Amino acid sequence: MTFEQKHLDQFYKIAGSYIDSLNHSDTLVRPKATSAELNEIFKFNIGSNLKEPNEIIDDLKKYLDFSTKTGHKNFYNQMFARSNLPALLGELTSVINNASAYTFEVAPVATLMELALIKKMSSLCGFENGGGQFVTGGSNANMVAMLCARNSLVKNSKELGLSNSKPLRVFVSEHSHYSFIKGVNVIGVGMDNLIRIPCDQLGKMKVELLEKEIIKSLAEDTIPFFVAGTSGTTVLNAFDPLEEIAAIANNYSLWFHVDGACGGSSLLSNKHKHLLDGVSLADSVTWDPHKMMSIPLICSVLLTKSSDALLKSNSSKHTEYLFHDDEEINIGESSLQCGRRADSLKLWTSWSYYGDAGYEKRIDRLFELAEHTRSYIEKSIVFDQTYVTSGITVCFQYIPDGITNADKINEFNRSLRVKMVDEGKTLINYSELDNNLFFRIAFLNPDISIDDVDETLQGLEMLGANLLKN
Amino acid sequence: MTFEQKHLDQFYKIAGSYIDSLNHSDTLVRPKATSAELNEIFKFNIGSNLKEPNEIIDDLKKYLDFSTKTGHKNFYNQMFARSNLPALLGELTSVINNASAYTFEVAPVATLMELALIKKMSSLCGFENGGGQFVTGGSNANMVAMLCARNSLVKNSKELGLSNSKPLRVFVSEHSHYSFIKGVNVIGVGMDNLIRIPCDQLGKMKVELLEKEIIKSLAEDTIPFFVAGTSGTTVLNAFDPLEEIAAIANNYSLWFHVDGACGGSSLLSNKHKHLLDGVSLADSVTWDPHKMMSIPLICSVLLTKSSDALLKSNSSKHTEYLFHDDEEINIGESSLQCGRRADSLKLWTSWSYYGDAGYEKRIDRLFELAEHTRSYIEKSIVFDQTYVTSGITVCFQYIPDGITNADKINEFNRSLRVKMVDEGKTLINYSELDNNLFFRIAFLNPDISIDDVDETLQGLEMLGANLLKN
């Protein structure tokens, strides 16, 4: 049987109900089901038994039913959350059109939107004639930034590889994202050549140690070529002192990268953009609009100070079957991808709807929600801030009355998190640092209310009290 | 103003009309508009003026209106075409759910679907206990395959990088995809260390030359470590002789990769799977279901013979904030991505709907459409096959009566293609090889009819005749 209008109408209804359900407290964020149970429900054997259209529609409903609801108002678990509606509509349109954003010929509008957004974002970074591109994720952006740096600073490495080179060194803070570790593996630098600089109590890179490590690397006859400051680390949401790092990068002729995958969006806020002071000195910037700008996954951008950095680093010969000698620009030439989803439309619709002013409010709101949470934690008799944060994450433990042993506190918080996941009403992640195990609540959805947050925290207090009773 | 139900209903209607329009001959495949004109229409200035919901909906309609219609029945331009409907619904669901397929906790169903699909596809390759993963594209799959090979065969390269290594060498056919060139740049091998082996008239690698080149590389004190056979090249859709390449890879202890980005799907057809004879000898296989299986972009898989090849090559330390010590599997650990779209659902819905048997018919149909086109070209008095193909692409020129000069024929075909694009009714790409410029029609949409193909070819004949008149 083939699909008919009634099946599509059914699908539209299911999609609508799903989106509505994300604001209801009685919708579980995470329906409990083990892989064994899901295997039973879905029967993942593929190819042998055909399904009718109505069965496919049923499967899609089941998929939504049993999926973790990342758009739920009580989802605080990852560094992304609910997609905003204009962005969601943009993404759905992009899927329906199915353009590959490599040539103007097959993706004319997406090409121009991408160029316009890159221009806008790069000017927010203070780049006068910047370039850049949508990439496949923040991890990819960081890797490509290191590749640009390597190809720019290590002579002929694009053509000859690294076998003739001395060992290369990359410098990041110890709180930086693991994508740098994966990235130095990929580009042939090697994981042992990633130097992770210690951070202060707030999670910011100790820049005096950066210089020491660079000098040490030079003494070891290696080539320091890349340093990244992180704007908004994953756990503490700390912002490295970019100006100081830039000065050192400049002194030692290193490529200076800013990983603003999370915090880059703070540039939209007059109140918070100072956190990225110095970003204009960067050679490249990672910025994921799918995080604080609430765009559906994936929406990641790598910006470069030099407009042709990506083309220089990534272009190759023998692409003429795809990239003809056209009058219009083919943005795929500077990309490592061949087929490329058009990730620009969703950001464009969203930005068109909210405008700079609306986005400023949304970004500020995320900080406010976190700030409110910090004061809630301060007042709470059971919660304790494990680390001082000032960004959009809050790190705290539940301290059971009378327990002072750190391991026992950790164990209790681990059990409490398990309980929370089991219950499924709300989802807050946990992290481990310096032998502390603590909740890390992340604010990426500006459309929730203070009441929503209070309800979540009260719920966690009650859950903890119940856990103590049993 | 906020979005209301009426806006969503409006959007649903627009999406439906768009999909319907793809089967109408009077819908242009490519509406003519230069970047200057599109800039005028869309006014890409971002952030300054807010738009109302109805304006956003209008923009989305305009986006569809002015986009190239890759799902149109007359779109033969790229190595992907129309998304099939169950896959499209799966993708829309995935977008609405917005899971990040890195942990079981936030993507339980997507995780299990990915594992089931990898198992299925890897068993189709003849891997008994294979592994693999959805990646960000065929180019990415080829790069990651080379990375796995490098990390597996070049001792400590993951930790130490390549500075202590002799130059490494990669071998592919001269008709292989450019992603190998970009990939050796990325992984630190260098573009000059990619050896492109000449092909025969049919576009297949001359395997005797492969062995010669390996011996030469050894004599030059470099390390050959990777060879790829292509199953379905981009222009001629040629299939390299995998068994012969495997034997040589085995003799010289090279990693043997199969780039089946396009042709991998032939494994679904009893009639055509012989084209990949020897694939079971591969260490890794690239396979893009977004090509011959008509899944929306991106749906790319890298399969590995060893189940833990990706984890070994790609894993890193300091990921514990994301990957906890869970009971369930976290597939993101073996990925180079952090945030990962759930690309499995769309393939799962599609495969559930068509089944193995239905997919076999769809794959066979693509070959039949190409075969029909070849016989049309043979009979045509104006068309001439420029290269003998036997896969899903056909390469031909329009030979104007009386013209024998090759450059003039090329020039005429270039003009004819420009004319076709200007007219916008159909879109067939062109390629250049050995100083020939020719049309390359690609069959990726099995739902078109023989009449559709004939109409397209007749249209091109008429367009050529008109061009000759003027």
Side-chain angles (χ1 to χ4, degrees), chain A residues 207-227:
Chain A
V207 181
E208 66 280 13
L209 297 183
L210 168 65
E211 183 156 26
K212 266 194 184 166
E213 285 292 344
I214 292 174
I215 292 169
K216 193 172 155 220
S217 283
L218 288 168
E220 289 166 359
D221 205 24
T222 64
I223 307 176
F225 79 104
F226 179 98
V227 59

mmCIF file with all atom_site columns, all heavy atoms in Angstrom, chain A residues 207-227:
data_model
loop_
_atom_site.group_PDB
_atom_site.id
_atom_site.type_symbol
_atom_site.label_atom_id
_atom_site.label_alt_id
_atom_site.label_comp_id
_atom_site.label_asym_id
_atom_site.label_entity_id
_atom_site.label_seq_id
_atom_site.pdbx_PDB_ins_code
_atom_site.Cartn_x
_atom_site.Cartn_y
_atom_site.Cartn_z
_atom_site.occupancy
_atom_site.B_iso_or_equiv
_atom_site.pdbx_formal_charge
_atom_site.auth_seq_id
_atom_site.auth_comp_id
_atom_site.auth_asym_id
_atom_site.auth_atom_id
_atom_site.pdbx_PDB_model_num
ATOM 1   N N   . VAL A 1 207 ? 46.945 31.735 32.530 1.00 0.00 ? 207 VAL A N   1
ATOM 2   C CA  . VAL A 1 207 ? 47.685 32.111 31.328 1.00 0.00 ? 207 VAL A CA  1
ATOM 3   C C   . VAL A 1 207 ? 49.192 32.138 31.565 1.00 0.00 ? 207 VAL A C   1
ATOM 4   O O   . VAL A 1 207 ? 49.982 31.871 30.654 1.00 0.00 ? 207 VAL A O   1
ATOM 5   C CB  . VAL A 1 207 ? 47.166 33.461 30.782 1.00 0.00 ? 207 VAL A CB  1
ATOM 6   C CG1 . VAL A 1 207 ? 47.915 33.855 29.530 1.00 0.00 ? 207 VAL A CG1 1
ATOM 7   C CG2 . VAL A 1 207 ? 45.682 33.353 30.472 1.00 0.00 ? 207 VAL A CG2 1
ATOM 8   N N   . GLU A 1 208 ? 49.597 32.416 32.810 1.00 0.00 ? 208 GLU A N   1
ATOM 9   C CA  . GLU A 1 208 ? 51.045 32.414 33.080 1.00 0.00 ? 208 GLU A CA  1
ATOM 10  C C   . GLU A 1 208 ? 51.625 31.011 32.856 1.00 0.00 ? 208 GLU A C   1
ATOM 11  O O   . GLU A 1 208 ? 52.776 30.861 32.436 1.00 0.00 ? 208 GLU A O   1
ATOM 12  C CB  . GLU A 1 208 ? 51.345 32.937 34.492 1.00 0.00 ? 208 GLU A CB  1
ATOM 13  C CG  . GLU A 1 208 ? 50.846 32.095 35.657 1.00 0.00 ? 208 GLU A CG  1
ATOM 14  C CD  . GLU A 1 208 ? 49.356 32.277 35.983 1.00 0.00 ? 208 GLU A CD  1
ATOM 15  O OE1 . GLU A 1 208 ? 48.629 32.874 35.162 1.00 0.00 ? 208 GLU A OE1 1
ATOM 16  O OE2 . GLU A 1 208 ? 48.919 31.799 37.055 1.00 0.00 ? 208 GLU A OE2 1
ATOM 17  N N   . LEU A 1 209 ? 50.804 29.993 33.104 1.00 0.00 ? 209 LEU A N   1
ATOM 18  C CA  . LEU A 1 209 ? 51.275 28.626 32.869 1.00 0.00 ? 209 LEU A CA  1
ATOM 19  C C   . LEU A 1 209 ? 51.317 28.296 31.376 1.00 0.00 ? 209 LEU A C   1
ATOM 20  O O   . LEU A 1 209 ? 52.112 27.471 30.934 1.00 0.00 ? 209 LEU A O   1
ATOM 21  C CB  . LEU A 1 209 ? 50.387 27.622 33.605 1.00 0.00 ? 209 LEU A CB  1
ATOM 22  C CG  . LEU A 1 209 ? 50.382 27.751 35.134 1.00 0.00 ? 209 LEU A CG  1
ATOM 23  C CD1 . LEU A 1 209 ? 49.529 26.649 35.760 1.00 0.00 ? 209 LEU A CD1 1
ATOM 24  C CD2 . LEU A 1 209 ? 51.811 27.684 35.691 1.00 0.00 ? 209 LEU A CD2 1
ATOM 25  N N   . LEU A 1 210 ? 50.454 28.962 30.623 1.00 0.00 ? 210 LEU A N   1
ATOM 26  C CA  . LEU A 1 210 ? 50.477 28.768 29.163 1.00 0.00 ? 210 LEU A CA  1
ATOM 27  C C   . LEU A 1 210 ? 51.842 29.155 28.613 1.00 0.00 ? 210 LEU A C   1
ATOM 28  O O   . LEU A 1 210 ? 52.473 28.398 27.867 1.00 0.00 ? 210 LEU A O   1
ATOM 29  C CB  . LEU A 1 210 ? 49.378 29.613 28.502 1.00 0.00 ? 210 LEU A CB  1
ATOM 30  C CG  . LEU A 1 210 ? 49.454 29.754 26.980 1.00 0.00 ? 210 LEU A CG  1
ATOM 31  C CD1 . LEU A 1 210 ? 49.253 28.402 26.294 1.00 0.00 ? 210 LEU A CD1 1
ATOM 32  C CD2 . LEU A 1 210 ? 48.418 30.759 26.460 1.00 0.00 ? 210 LEU A CD2 1
ATOM 33  N N   . GLU A 1 211 ? 52.302 30.326 29.008 1.00 0.00 ? 211 GLU A N   1
ATOM 34  C CA  . GLU A 1 211 ? 53.590 30.787 28.477 1.00 0.00 ? 211 GLU A CA  1
ATOM 35  C C   . GLU A 1 211 ? 54.714 29.836 28.892 1.00 0.00 ? 211 GLU A C   1
ATOM 36  O O   . GLU A 1 211 ? 55.573 29.481 28.084 1.00 0.00 ? 211 GLU A O   1
ATOM 37  C CB  . GLU A 1 211 ? 53.885 32.214 28.950 1.00 0.00 ? 211 GLU A CB  1
ATOM 38  C CG  . GLU A 1 211 ? 55.180 32.748 28.352 1.00 0.00 ? 211 GLU A CG  1
ATOM 39  C CD  . GLU A 1 211 ? 55.222 34.273 28.307 1.00 0.00 ? 211 GLU A CD  1
ATOM 40  O OE1 . GLU A 1 211 ? 54.539 34.899 29.140 1.00 0.00 ? 211 GLU A OE1 1
ATOM 41  O OE2 . GLU A 1 211 ? 55.931 34.811 27.433 1.00 0.00 ? 211 GLU A OE2 1
ATOM 42  N N   . LYS A 1 212 ? 54.671 29.408 30.141 1.00 0.00 ? 212 LYS A N   1
ATOM 43  C CA  . LYS A 1 212 ? 55.675 28.445 30.619 1.00 0.00 ? 212 LYS A CA  1
ATOM 44  C C   . LYS A 1 212 ? 55.711 27.197 29.752 1.00 0.00 ? 212 LYS A C   1
ATOM 45  O O   . LYS A 1 212 ? 56.769 26.688 29.395 1.00 0.00 ? 212 LYS A O   1
ATOM 46  C CB  . LYS A 1 212 ? 55.336 28.023 32.062 1.00 0.00 ? 212 LYS A CB  1
ATOM 47  C CG  . LYS A 1 212 ? 56.037 28.818 33.135 1.00 0.00 ? 212 LYS A CG  1
ATOM 48  C CD  . LYS A 1 212 ? 55.894 28.086 34.472 1.00 0.00 ? 212 LYS A CD  1
ATOM 49  C CE  . LYS A 1 212 ? 56.498 28.909 35.600 1.00 0.00 ? 212 LYS A CE  1
ATOM 50  N NZ  . LYS A 1 212 ? 56.078 28.405 36.909 1.00 0.00 ? 212 LYS A NZ  1
ATOM 51  N N   . GLU A 1 213 ? 54.520 26.696 29.443 1.00 0.00 ? 213 GLU A N   1
ATOM 52  C CA  . GLU A 1 213 ? 54.439 25.454 28.665 1.00 0.00 ? 213 GLU A CA  1
ATOM 53  C C   . GLU A 1 213 ? 54.928 25.659 27.236 1.00 0.00 ? 213 GLU A C   1
ATOM 54  O O   . GLU A 1 213 ? 55.525 24.763 26.640 1.00 0.00 ? 213 GLU A O   1
ATOM 55  C CB  . GLU A 1 213 ? 53.000 24.910 28.665 1.00 0.00 ? 213 GLU A CB  1
ATOM 56  C CG  . GLU A 1 213 ? 52.577 24.268 29.975 1.00 0.00 ? 213 GLU A CG  1
ATOM 57  C CD  . GLU A 1 213 ? 53.318 22.954 30.269 1.00 0.00 ? 213 GLU A CD  1
ATOM 58  O OE1 . GLU A 1 213 ? 53.928 22.375 29.347 1.00 0.00 ? 213 GLU A OE1 1
ATOM 59  O OE2 . GLU A 1 213 ? 53.298 22.526 31.434 1.00 0.00 ? 213 GLU A OE2 1
ATOM 60  N N   . ILE A 1 214 ? 54.653 26.830 26.695 1.00 0.00 ? 214 ILE A N   1
ATOM 61  C CA  . ILE A 1 214 ? 55.139 27.112 25.337 1.00 0.00 ? 214 ILE A CA  1
ATOM 62  C C   . ILE A 1 214 ? 56.668 27.130 25.331 1.00 0.00 ? 214 ILE A C   1
ATOM 63  O O   . ILE A 1 214 ? 57.318 26.532 24.463 1.00 0.00 ? 214 ILE A O   1
ATOM 64  C CB  . ILE A 1 214 ? 54.569 28.458 24.822 1.00 0.00 ? 214 ILE A CB  1
ATOM 65  C CG1 . ILE A 1 214 ? 53.052 28.337 24.607 1.00 0.00 ? 214 ILE A CG1 1
ATOM 66  C CG2 . ILE A 1 214 ? 55.253 28.874 23.524 1.00 0.00 ? 214 ILE A CG2 1
ATOM 67  C CD1 . ILE A 1 214 ? 52.356 29.642 24.247 1.00 0.00 ? 214 ILE A CD1 1
ATOM 68  N N   . ILE A 1 215 ? 57.225 27.798 26.324 1.00 0.00 ? 215 ILE A N   1
ATOM 69  C CA  . ILE A 1 215 ? 58.690 27.868 26.421 1.00 0.00 ? 215 ILE A CA  1
ATOM 70  C C   . ILE A 1 215 ? 59.279 26.467 26.591 1.00 0.00 ? 215 ILE A C   1
ATOM 71  O O   . ILE A 1 215 ? 60.272 26.108 25.951 1.00 0.00 ? 215 ILE A O   1
ATOM 72  C CB  . ILE A 1 215 ? 59.094 28.792 27.598 1.00 0.00 ? 215 ILE A CB  1
ATOM 73  C CG1 . ILE A 1 215 ? 58.697 30.243 27.266 1.00 0.00 ? 215 ILE A CG1 1
ATOM 74  C CG2 . ILE A 1 215 ? 60.589 28.688 27.897 1.00 0.00 ? 215 ILE A CG2 1
ATOM 75  C CD1 . ILE A 1 215 ? 58.806 31.203 28.433 1.00 0.00 ? 215 ILE A CD1 1
ATOM 76  N N   . LYS A 1 216 ? 58.615 25.682 27.408 1.00 0.00 ? 216 LYS A N   1
ATOM 77  C CA  . LYS A 1 216 ? 59.072 24.306 27.626 1.00 0.00 ? 216 LYS A CA  1
ATOM 78  C C   . LYS A 1 216 ? 59.019 23.501 26.321 1.00 0.00 ? 216 LYS A C   1
ATOM 79  O O   . LYS A 1 216 ? 59.950 22.758 25.990 1.00 0.00 ? 216 LYS A O   1
ATOM 80  C CB  . LYS A 1 216 ? 58.176 23.655 28.684 1.00 0.00 ? 216 LYS A CB  1
ATOM 81  C CG  . LYS A 1 216 ? 58.710 22.354 29.247 1.00 0.00 ? 216 LYS A CG  1
ATOM 82  C CD  . LYS A 1 216 ? 57.859 21.871 30.427 1.00 0.00 ? 216 LYS A CD  1
ATOM 83  C CE  . LYS A 1 216 ? 57.990 20.356 30.585 1.00 0.00 ? 216 LYS A CE  1
ATOM 84  N NZ  . LYS A 1 216 ? 56.729 19.709 30.915 1.00 0.00 ? 216 LYS A NZ  1
ATOM 85  N N   . SER A 1 217 ? 57.941 23.669 25.589 1.00 0.00 ? 217 SER A N   1
ATOM 86  C CA  . SER A 1 217 ? 57.804 22.941 24.318 1.00 0.00 ? 217 SER A CA  1
ATOM 87  C C   . SER A 1 217 ? 58.884 23.352 23.329 1.00 0.00 ? 217 SER A C   1
ATOM 88  O O   . SER A 1 217 ? 59.421 22.519 22.594 1.00 0.00 ? 217 SER A O   1
ATOM 89  C CB  . SER A 1 217 ? 56.417 23.190 23.707 1.00 0.00 ? 217 SER A CB  1
ATOM 90  O OG  . SER A 1 217 ? 55.446 22.425 24.366 1.00 0.00 ? 217 SER A OG  1
ATOM 91  N N   . LEU A 1 218 ? 59.200 24.639 23.317 1.00 0.00 ? 218 LEU A N   1
ATOM 92  C CA  . LEU A 1 218 ? 60.266 25.112 22.429 1.00 0.00 ? 218 LEU A CA  1
ATOM 93  C C   . LEU A 1 218 ? 61.600 24.495 22.842 1.00 0.00 ? 218 LEU A C   1
ATOM 94  O O   . LEU A 1 218 ? 62.390 24.057 21.994 1.00 0.00 ? 218 LEU A O   1
ATOM 95  C CB  . LEU A 1 218 ? 60.348 26.644 22.463 1.00 0.00 ? 218 LEU A CB  1
ATOM 96  C CG  . LEU A 1 218 ? 59.200 27.378 21.753 1.00 0.00 ? 218 LEU A CG  1
ATOM 97  C CD1 . LEU A 1 218 ? 59.209 28.867 22.094 1.00 0.00 ? 218 LEU A CD1 1
ATOM 98  C CD2 . LEU A 1 218 ? 59.282 27.171 20.239 1.00 0.00 ? 218 LEU A CD2 1
ATOM 99  N N   . ALA A 1 219 ? 61.817 24.437 24.150 1.00 0.00 ? 219 ALA A N   1
ATOM 100 C CA  . ALA A 1 219 ? 63.061 23.847 24.651 1.00 0.00 ? 219 ALA A CA  1
ATOM 101 C C   . ALA A 1 219 ? 63.143 22.366 24.294 1.00 0.00 ? 219 ALA A C   1
ATOM 102 O O   . ALA A 1 219 ? 64.232 21.815 24.119 1.00 0.00 ? 219 ALA A O   1
ATOM 103 C CB  . ALA A 1 219 ? 63.143 24.032 26.163 1.00 0.00 ? 219 ALA A CB  1
ATOM 104 N N   . GLU A 1 220 ? 61.988 21.734 24.177 1.00 0.00 ? 220 GLU A N   1
ATOM 105 C CA  . GLU A 1 220 ? 61.959 20.308 23.819 1.00 0.00 ? 220 GLU A CA  1
ATOM 106 C C   . GLU A 1 220 ? 62.047 20.098 22.308 1.00 0.00 ? 220 GLU A C   1
ATOM 107 O O   . GLU A 1 220 ? 61.828 18.989 21.813 1.00 0.00 ? 220 GLU A O   1
ATOM 108 C CB  . GLU A 1 220 ? 60.675 19.664 24.357 1.00 0.00 ? 220 GLU A CB  1
ATOM 109 C CG  . GLU A 1 220 ? 60.681 19.510 25.877 1.00 0.00 ? 220 GLU A CG  1
ATOM 110 C CD  . GLU A 1 220 ? 59.292 19.192 26.443 1.00 0.00 ? 220 GLU A CD  1
ATOM 111 O OE1 . GLU A 1 220 ? 58.325 19.114 25.657 1.00 0.00 ? 220 GLU A OE1 1
ATOM 112 O OE2 . GLU A 1 220 ? 59.184 19.047 27.676 1.00 0.00 ? 220 GLU A OE2 1
ATOM 113 N N   . ASP A 1 221 ? 62.334 21.176 21.599 1.00 0.00 ? 221 ASP A N   1
ATOM 114 C CA  . ASP A 1 221 ? 62.488 21.118 20.147 1.00 0.00 ? 221 ASP A CA  1
ATOM 115 C C   . ASP A 1 221 ? 61.207 20.680 19.430 1.00 0.00 ? 221 ASP A C   1
ATOM 116 O O   . ASP A 1 221 ? 61.241 19.964 18.429 1.00 0.00 ? 221 ASP A O   1
ATOM 117 C CB  . ASP A 1 221 ? 63.657 20.196 19.766 1.00 0.00 ? 221 ASP A CB  1
ATOM 118 C CG  . ASP A 1 221 ? 64.221 20.580 18.397 1.00 0.00 ? 221 ASP A CG  1
ATOM 119 O OD1 . ASP A 1 221 ? 64.046 21.749 17.994 1.00 0.00 ? 221 ASP A OD1 1
ATOM 120 O OD2 . ASP A 1 221 ? 64.804 19.710 17.738 1.00 0.00 ? 221 ASP A OD2 1
ATOM 121 N N   . THR A 1 222 ? 60.079 21.092 19.976 1.00 0.00 ? 222 THR A N   1
ATOM 122 C CA  . THR A 1 222 ? 58.807 20.878 19.290 1.00 0.00 ? 222 THR A CA  1
ATOM 123 C C   . THR A 1 222 ? 58.307 22.234 18.793 1.00 0.00 ? 222 THR A C   1
ATOM 124 O O   . THR A 1 222 ? 58.855 23.274 19.164 1.00 0.00 ? 222 THR A O   1
ATOM 125 C CB  . THR A 1 222 ? 57.753 20.269 20.230 1.00 0.00 ? 222 THR A CB  1
ATOM 126 O OG1 . THR A 1 222 ? 57.482 21.214 21.273 1.00 0.00 ? 222 THR A OG1 1
ATOM 127 C CG2 . THR A 1 222 ? 58.249 18.963 20.839 1.00 0.00 ? 222 THR A CG2 1
ATOM 128 N N   . ILE A 1 223 ? 57.266 22.209 17.977 1.00 0.00 ? 223 ILE A N   1
ATOM 129 C CA  . ILE A 1 223 ? 56.751 23.444 17.387 1.00 0.00 ? 223 ILE A CA  1
ATOM 130 C C   . ILE A 1 223 ? 55.374 23.780 17.938 1.00 0.00 ? 223 ILE A C   1
ATOM 131 O O   . ILE A 1 223 ? 54.377 23.181 17.534 1.00 0.00 ? 223 ILE A O   1
ATOM 132 C CB  . ILE A 1 223 ? 56.652 23.328 15.848 1.00 0.00 ? 223 ILE A CB  1
ATOM 133 C CG1 . ILE A 1 223 ? 57.990 22.884 15.260 1.00 0.00 ? 223 ILE A CG1 1
ATOM 134 C CG2 . ILE A 1 223 ? 56.187 24.654 15.237 1.00 0.00 ? 223 ILE A CG2 1
ATOM 135 C CD1 . ILE A 1 223 ? 57.938 22.667 13.759 1.00 0.00 ? 223 ILE A CD1 1
ATOM 136 N N   . PRO A 1 224 ? 55.281 24.715 18.871 1.00 0.00 ? 224 PRO A N   1
ATOM 137 C CA  . PRO A 1 224 ? 53.964 25.195 19.305 1.00 0.00 ? 224 PRO A CA  1
ATOM 138 C C   . PRO A 1 224 ? 53.337 25.965 18.143 1.00 0.00 ? 224 PRO A C   1
ATOM 139 O O   . PRO A 1 224 ? 53.996 26.824 17.559 1.00 0.00 ? 224 PRO A O   1
ATOM 140 C CB  . PRO A 1 224 ? 54.288 26.150 20.457 1.00 0.00 ? 224 PRO A CB  1
ATOM 141 C CG  . PRO A 1 224 ? 55.709 25.864 20.832 1.00 0.00 ? 224 PRO A CG  1
ATOM 142 C CD  . PRO A 1 224 ? 56.373 25.396 19.583 1.00 0.00 ? 224 PRO A CD  1
ATOM 143 N N   . PHE A 1 225 ? 52.103 25.612 17.767 1.00 0.00 ? 225 PHE A N   1
ATOM 144 C CA  . PHE A 1 225 ? 51.511 26.307 16.604 1.00 0.00 ? 225 PHE A CA  1
ATOM 145 C C   . PHE A 1 225 ? 50.080 26.750 16.830 1.00 0.00 ? 225 PHE A C   1
ATOM 146 O O   . PHE A 1 225 ? 49.524 27.502 16.033 1.00 0.00 ? 225 PHE A O   1
ATOM 147 C CB  . PHE A 1 225 ? 51.603 25.434 15.339 1.00 0.00 ? 225 PHE A CB  1
ATOM 148 C CG  . PHE A 1 225 ? 50.557 24.338 15.259 1.00 0.00 ? 225 PHE A CG  1
ATOM 149 C CD1 . PHE A 1 225 ? 49.460 24.444 14.418 1.00 0.00 ? 225 PHE A CD1 1
ATOM 150 C CD2 . PHE A 1 225 ? 50.678 23.193 16.034 1.00 0.00 ? 225 PHE A CD2 1
ATOM 151 C CE1 . PHE A 1 225 ? 48.492 23.442 14.352 1.00 0.00 ? 225 PHE A CE1 1
ATOM 152 C CE2 . PHE A 1 225 ? 49.726 22.180 15.977 1.00 0.00 ? 225 PHE A CE2 1
ATOM 153 C CZ  . PHE A 1 225 ? 48.635 22.304 15.134 1.00 0.00 ? 225 PHE A CZ  1
ATOM 154 N N   . PHE A 1 226 ? 49.446 26.328 17.916 1.00 0.00 ? 226 PHE A N   1
ATOM 155 C CA  . PHE A 1 226 ? 48.008 26.582 18.064 1.00 0.00 ? 226 PHE A CA  1
ATOM 156 C C   . PHE A 1 226 ? 47.650 26.690 19.533 1.00 0.00 ? 226 PHE A C   1
ATOM 157 O O   . PHE A 1 226 ? 48.052 25.848 20.344 1.00 0.00 ? 226 PHE A O   1
ATOM 158 C CB  . PHE A 1 226 ? 47.253 25.409 17.425 1.00 0.00 ? 226 PHE A CB  1
ATOM 159 C CG  . PHE A 1 226 ? 45.741 25.484 17.489 1.00 0.00 ? 226 PHE A CG  1
ATOM 160 C CD1 . PHE A 1 226 ? 45.013 25.956 16.402 1.00 0.00 ? 226 PHE A CD1 1
ATOM 161 C CD2 . PHE A 1 226 ? 45.043 25.063 18.623 1.00 0.00 ? 226 PHE A CD2 1
ATOM 162 C CE1 . PHE A 1 226 ? 43.618 26.002 16.438 1.00 0.00 ? 226 PHE A CE1 1
ATOM 163 C CE2 . PHE A 1 226 ? 43.648 25.111 18.669 1.00 0.00 ? 226 PHE A CE2 1
ATOM 164 C CZ  . PHE A 1 226 ? 42.940 25.579 17.572 1.00 0.00 ? 226 PHE A CZ  1
ATOM 165 N N   . VAL A 1 227 ? 46.921 27.719 19.877 1.00 0.00 ? 227 VAL A N   1
ATOM 166 C CA  . VAL A 1 227 ? 46.366 27.803 21.230 1.00 0.00 ? 227 VAL A CA  1
ATOM 167 C C   . VAL A 1 227 ? 44.889 28.177 21.126 1.00 0.00 ? 227 VAL A C   1
ATOM 168 O O   . VAL A 1 227 ? 44.508 28.999 20.291 1.00 0.00 ? 227 VAL A O   1
ATOM 169 C CB  . VAL A 1 227 ? 47.130 28.819 22.113 1.00 0.00 ? 227 VAL A CB  1
ATOM 170 C CG1 . VAL A 1 227 ? 47.099 30.225 21.523 1.00 0.00 ? 227 VAL A CG1 1
ATOM 171 C CG2 . VAL A 1 227 ? 46.553 28.846 23.537 1.00 0.00 ? 227 VAL A CG2 1
#
